[in-house]
Amino acid sequence: MENEVLEFDIGLGSGADDDAVDIDIDDDLPSTPPLPLPLPSSTSTPPTQIYLPEGDLLDLEPYESMEFESEEAAKAFYNSYARRVGFSTRVSSSRRSRRDGAIIQRQFVCAKEGFRNLNEKRTKDREIKRPRVITRVGCKASLSVKMQDSGKWVVSGFVRGHNHELVPLDQVHCLRSHRQISGPAKTLIDTLQAAGMGPRRIMSALIKEYGGISKVGFTEVDCRNYMRNNRMKSMEGDIQLLLDYLRQMHNENPNFFYALQGGDDQFTGNVFWSDPRARENYSYFGDTVTFDTTYRSNRYRLPFAPLTGVNHHGQPVLFGCAFLLNETEASFIWLFQTWLTAMSGHHPVSITTDHDAVISSAIMQVFPETRHRFCKWHIFKKCQEKLSHVLLKHPSFEADFHKCVNLTESIEEFESCWLSLVDRYELRHHEWLQTIYSDRRQWVPVYLRDAFFAEMSITQRSDSMNSYFDGYVNASTNLSHFFKLYEKAIESRNEKEVKADYDTMNTNPVLKTPSPMEKQASGQYTRKLFARFQEELVGTLTFMASKAEDDGESIMYQVAKFGEDHKAYYVKFNVLEMKARCSCQMFEFSGLLCRHVLAVFRVTNVLTLPSHYILKRWTRNAKSNVILEEHPSDVYNGYLESHTVRYNTLRHEAFKFVDEGSKSLDTYNVAMVALQEATTRVALATKNEGRTSVVNSRNRGDMASNGIRANYTSGNHLGSSGQILSEKDTDKKIQELRDELEHANRKCEVYRANLLSVLKDIDDHKLQLSIKVQSIKISMKDSI
């Protein structure tokens, strides 16, 4: 028989060549580019058969003339031997018969046999973006078998020695040729995946079931890839439903935005869409965004991720949705860039996501100026999983952990509390705790208070952190039913917003104080936000504000409850600019003034909220095109505010005058004389209603000065009949013109206030009409 030798490398087991690409979506390993997904479906590959040695063969070492029933049996035996010794195998060369092309000889080698050819044609003409580690070191260990005329296979050569260290038994499951998912393991994974469990929890169950990771026979990466392939196969048949739905919505409304990563030709399975209402909502409430990746903890079977925010009622509002079959860094970068395009390129102030290194890296590249926060409540949930042994041994740990995170008032206090916590429970070297501690600036409240997240409390969980689709999309939802539930969820959320709008416009809240500030806020904020503001305003009654420092421009106030100076907050108040900043930073975080600043306003006679402390996004006119903040709608409110500024400015200067005048007897006498003179002048100014300002009024270029100049000729004062006026008559005429001007100005203010009132009424009427239309639509759907 004439034979011909053909040299080639093929895989053994689940993929033998160490140079082969392993699809890896684990957080700790580099990401790989998304693989193209055929549209609308693809052919499935037949399952791989696994041959396992039986009986005494399990403990034997190979020797020459050893016989096997088939090539597959020889391959399985050598791989089993390699597992016991501690190395990985692959097929190196084969010999085929020239007569019929059948394989008549095989050589199995150690995976580290030979050397990588760095000059291969396949790498010559392209740039290698992510070079892989060199694993081949020229190892000579091998097993050669050839087929006998009887059909059996016999060992024709065996090399035992290796030129590298072998892998310990407890790590051998990481070697590529030994990473095989058995039939029973696949069945268990399928069952647990259908129940909504994720790869980490499934691997924990498998380790417990088999008695250790080394007995499972594969890694979490293999489990994750197997689950991903299952998910893609199950969705391939329905993917056309998704695309048809998106195209139909776009055809009905061109403002419906959708995009496919890779387009139709190289579709990766990643899709993003945003309807017109979502895009409009972002223009009003796009300052803070939540990227809800709850599905990645496998609460949902679908790889579904909505982007949401918070509306003026504190309710979740939708900005867009995505399906992500590939969860690589490149996929998240594509998603964020696509979403940003749909939102006209406007970056959010802040974004909240799950604690994930891949997502974090993508956000740094797409939103470099956006404040990125990890969801604290996801970390608390993960704590129960990662520290379950600690919670069983020390039930008080969870409460202490929450206190350390939520109740510390400063960075220094948190750092001290954290060190005390990990020492008390002997967790200083716990790997997961070290990881979240290194990321503390992105999830611990004391590090985030200076950024806006539209939350009413730093320690309480906001409604926005609950999934927008809670109660609609769950672990049993498949793609064919998804869009019906998706539309129901959106309709329900819209109905709740309409109800909140109706309550705000048609009911009046109960006022708890006689404060003009409370009345002002009740007419501007939505009902829910007013209730939160009212809580802070009433809370000022238990606080005392006392002046601590005065640098000439700003006054520092210490604000604390009676007898609790050790728990004081500090408010820096600039009287001239009417700006205050509290050490609790509630306004920076939530957009509402805290009780500490309101307490300072109370003692400094600030009767109404300055306009820059009323964020439009929290008002009943948040979706209005009329910017009411730029011009007060009530002349009286304007008067109160300007009177407050004058009052505080004079009092501020008077305090400095008193401090300087009381230093010595001489300065006291001078100050008293100046004060008496000033009192006389102020009384005269009050009596004459500002007649002393007539000369200055000529420099303003107003109507009065122009009219006066028209009646002056060469120094002669002429009346309307051409007669020369006396000085007394001239002053009288000037006063008349000034009175007319003042009267005209007052009329203009009234007209302006009336105009703004009309505009506001028009806007309110539009909102009420919108509510009625929505109500009619809902009732019509219910009747159908």
Side-chain angles (χ1 to χ4, degrees):
M1 180 184 296
E2 296 181 358
N3 296 320
E4 177 185 28
V5 176
L6 302 177
E7 299 285 345
F8 57 93
D9 284 344
I10 63 174
L12 179 65
S14 63
D17 193 338
D18 280 47
D19 291 341
V21 175
D22 179 27
I23 300 174
D24 184 1
I25 53 177
D26 190 62
D27 298 339
D28 300 326
L29 296 175
S31 60
T32 58
L35 300 177
L37 181 67
L39 289 175
S41 62
S42 64
T43 57
S44 58
T45 56
T48 303
Q49 288 184 295
I50 300 175
Y51 295 85
L52 299 176
E54 300 177 355
D56 296 337
L57 292 178
L58 288 170
D59 299 322
L60 286 177
E61 182 176 277
Y63 57 88
E64 291 191 19
S65 74
M66 187 178 188
E67 287 189 350
F68 298 94
E69 290 296 325
S70 65
E71 174 202 345
E72 287 77 13
K75 181 167 59 177
F77 168 76
Y78 188 59
N79 200 46
S80 176
Y81 163 75
R83 182 182 181 89
R84 284 186 282 114
V85 174
F87 66 96
S88 183
T89 64
R90 59 184 172 84
V91 179
S92 175
S93 63
S94 301
R95 184 186 297 272
R96 290 181 180 272
S97 168
R98 279 188 174 180
R99 185 174 56 187
D100 57 9
I103 295 175
I104 59 173
Q105 186 172 335
R106 285 281 198 193
Q107 183 181 29
F108 309 115
V109 298
C110 172
K112 292 182 178 291
E113 179 268 346
F115 298 93
R116 180 183 299 176
N117 185 359
L118 299 178
N119 295 318
E120 289 179 344
K121 184 178 179 181
R122 63 187 176 90
T123 61
K124 264 186 178 181
D125 302 327
R126 63 184 177 88
E127 179 185 359
I128 300 176
K129 296 182 179 179
R130 189 167 56 89
R132 289 182 289 275
V133 177
I134 294 177
T135 57
R136 300 192 183 186
V137 295
C139 183
K140 300 296 185 181
S142 65
L143 177 74
S144 299
V145 294
K146 61 182 180 181
M147 189 172 66
Q148 302 294 307
D149 292 338
S150 63
K152 292 187 177 182
W153 290 72
V154 64
V155 175
S156 59
F158 171 60
V159 179
R160 180 186 295 105
H162 296 262
N163 66 347
H164 56 88
E165 291 186 3
L166 299 175
V167 175
L169 187 61
D170 61 346
Q171 297 176 17
V172 75
H173 65 280
C174 297
L175 295 173
R176 193 171 297 275
S177 70
H178 307 307
R179 287 161 54 180
Q180 299 172 345
I181 303 179
S182 65
K186 287 181 179 179
T187 302
L188 183 55
I189 292 174
D190 293 343
T191 302
L192 297 179
Q193 184 179 13
M197 289 179 64
R200 286 190 177 91
R201 292 177 63 190
I202 289 177
M203 281 302 294
S204 297
L206 288 167
I207 291 170
K208 188 174 181 180
E209 177 72 19
Y210 284 90
I213 182 65
S214 61
K215 296 181 180 179
V216 172
F218 52 91
T219 66
E220 185 180 321
V221 173
D222 302 312
C223 178
R224 193 183 293 270
N225 288 339
Y226 174 77
M227 292 173 64
R228 172 185 171 276
N229 291 335
N230 273 355
R231 190 166 60 189
M232 291 183 71
K233 288 176 183 177
S234 65
M235 291 189 66
E236 283 173 11
D238 293 332
I239 207 73
Q240 192 63 45
L241 294 174
L242 167 65
L243 300 181
D244 289 344
Y245 175 86
L246 297 178
R247 287 166 182 151
Q248 176 187 344
M249 297 301 292
H250 179 71
N251 291 334
E252 292 177 0
N253 189 334
N255 288 326
F256 184 95
F257 181 99
Y258 78 97
L260 316 178
Q261 186 180 12
D264 290 341
D265 296 333
Q266 294 292 322
F267 181 46
T268 65
N270 293 339
V271 183
F272 169 78
W273 72 93
S274 180
D275 61 44
R277 187 183 181 95
R279 299 175 73 184
E280 182 185 15
N281 282 333
Y282 186 78
S283 67
Y284 301 127
F285 310 113
D287 40 20
T288 185
V289 176
T290 296
F291 181 46
D292 186 358
T293 53
T294 311
Y295 76 89
R296 302 184 81 240
S297 61
N298 288 275
R299 181 180 180 181
Y300 302 147
R301 181 183 298 175
L302 295 172
F304 173 61
L307 292 118
T308 61
V310 185
N311 69 8
H312 51 323
H313 300 293
Q315 301 168 334
V317 61
L318 189 64
F319 296 148
C321 299
F323 275 119
L324 295 173
L325 293 184
N326 286 287
E327 301 168 290
T328 62
E329 182 179 315
S331 293
F332 286 117
I333 290 175
W334 170 84
L335 171 61
F336 294 140
Q337 289 176 339
T338 305
W339 174 71
L340 200 56
T341 300
M343 302 300 133
S344 302
H346 297 301
H347 290 238
V349 174
S350 60
I351 186 169
T352 302
T353 72
D354 196 1
H355 184 219
D356 185 281
V358 176
I359 296 177
S360 181
S361 177
I363 286 176
M364 287 178 62
Q365 296 178 62
V366 182
F367 305 114
E369 302 300 323
T370 297
R371 191 69 172 271
H372 181 204
R373 175 180 69 167
F374 296 131
C375 179
K376 177 179 61 177
W377 303 103
H378 288 172
I379 291 178
F380 282 165
K381 186 178 179 181
K382 190 67 68 68
C383 176
Q384 296 173 351
E385 175 187 334
K386 297 290 185 180
L387 300 173
S388 57
H389 62 292
V390 180
L391 296 174
L392 287 173
K393 186 177 180 181
H394 304 286
S396 62
F397 172 80
E398 188 171 12
D400 290 342
F401 183 71
H402 279 253
K403 287 179 183 178
C404 177
V405 173
N406 287 327
L407 302 184
T408 47
E409 294 288 343
S410 66
I411 292 175
E412 294 75 15
E413 185 182 355
F414 166 76
E415 295 288 350
S416 174
C417 185
W418 181 273
L419 290 176
S420 174
L421 180 75
V422 295
D423 284 343
R424 188 186 319 146
Y425 294 99
E426 299 179 351
L427 296 170
R428 184 179 282 266
H429 301 293
H430 190 279
E431 184 178 354
W432 182 77
L433 278 178
Q434 287 180 335
T435 300
I436 63 170
Y437 177 74
S438 65
D439 292 331
R440 62 193 180 281
R441 289 175 177 81
Q442 289 182 264
W443 67 277
V444 177
V446 291
Y447 292 98
L448 297 164
R449 288 174 173 170
D450 60 335
F452 181 75
F453 286 96
E455 292 183 17
M456 295 302 99
S457 170
I458 290 177
T459 58
Q460 295 177 0
R461 184 174 185 176
S462 168
D463 288 342
S464 67
M465 295 308 299
N466 296 323
S467 173
Y468 185 91
F469 294 94
D470 270 357
Y472 294 91
V473 179
N474 54 46
S476 63
T477 304
N478 56 41
L479 193 57
S480 60
H481 296 121
F482 169 79
F483 281 106
K484 289 183 180 178
L485 298 173
Y486 163 84
E487 290 178 347
K488 282 186 177 181
I490 291 179
E491 184 178 318
S492 174
R493 292 293 184 182
N494 292 343
E495 184 180 346
K496 288 179 181 178
E497 182 177 337
V498 170
K499 178 66 166 59
D501 283 337
Y502 178 85
D503 291 342
T504 295
M505 301 301 297
N506 294 279
T507 59
N508 295 319
V510 177
L511 303 184
K512 298 181 180 180
T513 73
S515 167
M517 186 179 292
E518 185 181 18
K519 182 173 178 59
Q520 172 199 18
S522 69
Q524 299 229 16
Y525 288 130
T526 59
R527 286 296 302 273
K528 181 171 182 178
L529 269 295
F530 171 71
R532 185 67 185 85
F533 172 82
Q534 189 179 55
E535 182 183 335
E536 292 299 311
L537 185 65
V538 173
T540 64
L541 300 177
T542 62
F543 280 83
M544 299 176 60
S546 57
K547 187 170 72 171
E549 297 178 13
D550 186 351
D551 61 8
E553 292 185 3
S554 301
I555 304 175
M556 182 70 74
Y557 287 89
Q558 177 179 300
V559 183
K561 292 183 178 180
F562 181 76
E564 296 185 5
D565 290 346
H566 62 289
K567 295 182 180 179
Y569 296 87
Y570 291 89
V571 177
K572 190 174 185 179
F573 183 38
N574 188 310
V575 180
L576 299 180
E577 297 181 1
M578 291 293 289
K579 290 185 178 179
R581 183 179 177 87
C582 181
S583 58
C584 79
Q585 296 182 302
M586 177 175 164
F587 180 77
E588 289 80 0
F589 187 80
S590 68
L592 279 179
L593 281 177
C594 62
R595 59 191 62 189
H596 318 117
V597 170
L598 295 176
V600 171
F601 281 177
R602 188 186 73 237
V603 301
T604 54
N605 203 36
V606 177
L607 303 180
T608 59
L609 283 172
S611 59
H612 49 267
Y613 284 122
I614 303 177
L615 297 190
K616 184 179 179 182
R617 64 132 32 248
W618 291 135
T619 68
R620 56 179 65 195
N621 299 299
K623 290 187 171 184
S624 168
N625 293 325
V626 180
I627 305 176
L628 297 176
E629 291 89 343
E630 293 184 356
H631 33 67
S633 59
D634 193 325
V635 175
Y636 179 65
N637 282 347
Y639 161 75
L640 285 177
E641 188 171 318
S642 60
H643 176 268
T644 302
V645 172
R646 293 196 299 269
Y647 179 89
N648 283 289
T649 302
L650 284 172
R651 189 171 71 162
H652 182 66
E653 295 298 323
F655 280 146
K656 292 196 296 184
F657 181 79
V658 171
D659 288 340
E660 292 295 325
S662 61
K663 288 183 177 178
S664 68
L665 184 59
D666 290 338
T667 56
Y668 169 78
N669 291 330
V670 172
M672 286 300 295
V673 172
L675 188 60
Q676 290 170 1
E677 182 181 350
T679 303
T680 303
R681 296 182 64 181
V682 169
L684 182 61
T686 303
K687 183 178 179 181
N688 294 332
E689 282 288 327
R691 286 188 61 184
T692 54
S693 63
V694 171
V695 175
N696 291 332
S697 68
R698 295 175 181 174
N699 297 326
R700 298 174 191 161
D702 56 19
M703 289 172 55
S705 61
N706 290 335
I708 293 169
R709 291 191 186 97
N711 290 317
Y712 279 104
T713 58
S714 303
N716 295 325
H717 306 303
L718 302 177
S720 58
S721 62
Q723 296 178 352
I724 298 176
L725 298 177
S726 65
E727 185 176 348
K728 183 177 181 180
D729 291 336
T730 301
D731 289 342
K732 183 179 180 181
K733 186 67 176 178
I734 292 173
Q735 183 62 39
E736 290 175 356
L737 292 172
R738 192 182 70 82
D739 291 342
E740 289 179 13
L741 179 62
E742 289 295 326
H743 180 68
N745 286 337
R746 285 195 296 272
K747 288 178 68 176
C748 286
E749 285 295 323
V750 173
Y751 292 151
R752 182 170 175 271
N754 289 339
L755 178 59
L756 291 173
S757 178
V758 170
L759 290 173
K760 185 175 181 298
D761 289 342
I762 291 173
D763 208 60
D764 292 346
H765 187 61
K766 285 168 59 180
L767 183 58
Q768 289 176 356
L769 286 176
S770 175
I771 294 171
K772 290 180 180 178
V773 170
Q774 291 292 334
S775 299
I776 292 171
K777 287 182 178 179
I778 292 169
S779 61
M780 290 178 66
K781 288 183 179 180
D782 291 341
S783 63
I784 293 173

